[in-house]
Amino acid sequence: MARKRYRNRGRSKGSTQLFSGPFVLICLVLFVLYHVFLGILSFFDWLWHGIEKVTVTQWVLILAFIFVSIIFVKKVKSNIRQRSREEYERALREKLKIEGHIELLKKSDPFDFERFIANVFTLKGYETTVTRKTGDGGKDIILRKGDEIAIVECKRYNSPKVTRPEIQKFHSAILDTRAKEGFFITTGVFTKPAVIYVVDKPIHLINGEGLRQLIAEVSDKLGTSD
């Protein structure tokens, strides 16, 4: 009999622990949620009665304040974008001054040369995207200005000439991309057949001397010099 009473006492103790732990916690959470819900209802009730008391004149003033605030925020954002753009162009101008010499460009990494050319076109008002190093489809840079697309192919050569087959391949890339025009840029020169090939095509050939002039043009436009 004593053992049986001991077992009953054990079950009673376990039941007490069950209700004193999770049960109390659940009740506490429900209590908090209930009062939060009441608070939300009270807030919306206060807000609704407050709105009912707002006069037409006050509504006009509120709407005018919201309108002025929107214009002010847009102006601030515009100024921030303008400053960011000016700082970005200033950094690119410094980069042009340091790296924009043909002899240095001839010795640069081909991918660095592509990024440099992309910066030049950025300063000319284009949105530029440098393509991946391999499998670029015959284009190193994609240019966008409004709804128009153009592409650029870059060849950092010390001495080789760009031949007609290379320009023909570039022309195919222009057609495949449905670009308005293309710029083939090299630190070297183009062969005579390559120059003749582009006479009636939307392709601009820019050799080493032409690239030097392009850099000078961008620098002068932005108030800098080599």
Side-chain angles (χ1 to χ4, degrees):
M1 292 296 295
R3 179 184 296 178
K4 188 173 182 180
R5 285 196 299 272
Y6 175 78
R7 288 178 179 176
N8 289 337
R9 285 198 300 271
R11 291 196 190 101
S12 177
K13 182 178 180 181
S15 301
T16 303
Q17 289 178 343
L18 176 63
F19 284 101
S20 64
F23 180 76
V24 172
L25 180 62
I26 292 172
C27 292
L28 181 62
V29 170
L30 291 176
F31 177 80
V32 171
L33 290 177
Y34 173 73
H35 282 278
V36 169
F37 179 72
L38 290 180
I40 293 173
L41 289 180
S42 297
F43 170 77
F44 280 105
D45 183 64
W46 169 83
L47 184 63
W48 175 253
H49 286 87
I51 291 175
E52 288 181 332
K53 295 178 182 179
V54 177
T55 65
V56 175
T57 303
Q58 290 174 329
W59 273 117
V60 172
L61 291 175
I62 291 171
L63 293 176
F65 174 77
I66 293 174
F67 179 74
V68 172
S69 298
I70 292 174
I71 294 177
F72 176 75
V73 170
K74 287 184 176 180
K75 184 66 175 178
V76 170
K77 288 183 176 180
S78 177
N79 290 339
I80 292 174
R81 284 196 297 266
Q82 181 64 25
R83 286 197 297 269
S84 299
R85 178 72 181 182
E86 291 174 355
E87 292 174 0
Y88 179 61
E89 290 185 351
R90 190 180 303 113
L92 289 185
R93 290 198 297 269
E94 292 300 319
K95 189 176 182 68
L96 288 183
K97 291 170 66 176
I98 295 171
E99 301 179 4
H101 298 278
I102 300 302
E103 295 305 317
L104 288 177
L105 292 175
K106 287 181 179 180
K107 299 175 183 178
S108 65
D109 177 81
F111 195 64
D112 289 339
F113 179 64
E114 293 172 12
R115 287 193 295 238
F116 177 84
I117 298 301
N119 288 338
V120 172
F121 279 97
T122 296
L123 293 175
K124 286 179 67 65
Y126 289 93
E127 293 181 14
T128 62
T129 303
V130 179
T131 60
R132 56 188 180 184
K133 293 184 179 181
T134 58
D136 57 17
K139 55 188 179 297
D140 294 320
I141 306 169
I142 300 174
L143 307 178
R144 289 182 175 84
K145 185 178 286 187
D147 296 330
E148 296 180 348
I149 296 177
I151 63 173
V152 182
E153 180 73 356
C154 304
K155 294 296 181 184
R156 182 208 40 78
Y157 287 149
N158 289 325
S159 58
K161 297 180 179 180
V162 179
T163 61
R164 173 171 173 157
E166 291 178 276
I167 302 302
Q168 288 176 315
K169 180 181 177 181
F170 182 58
H171 186 223
S172 297
I174 294 175
L175 297 177
D176 292 341
T177 313
R178 296 183 180 179
K180 177 186 177 182
E181 57 188 348
F183 299 85
F184 200 110
I185 300 177
T186 179
T187 52
V189 294
F190 298 94
T191 62
K192 186 175 181 179
V195 174
I196 294 174
Y197 177 76
V198 303
V199 170
D200 59 345
K201 296 176 179 60
I203 300 176
H204 306 278
L205 302 182
I206 302 176
N207 59 15
E209 178 59 24
L211 178 57
R212 188 192 66 79
Q213 294 176 4
L214 177 61
I215 294 172
E217 173 193 332
V218 173
S219 298
D220 291 342
K221 180 180 178 182
L222 295 171
T224 62
S225 58
D226 290 339

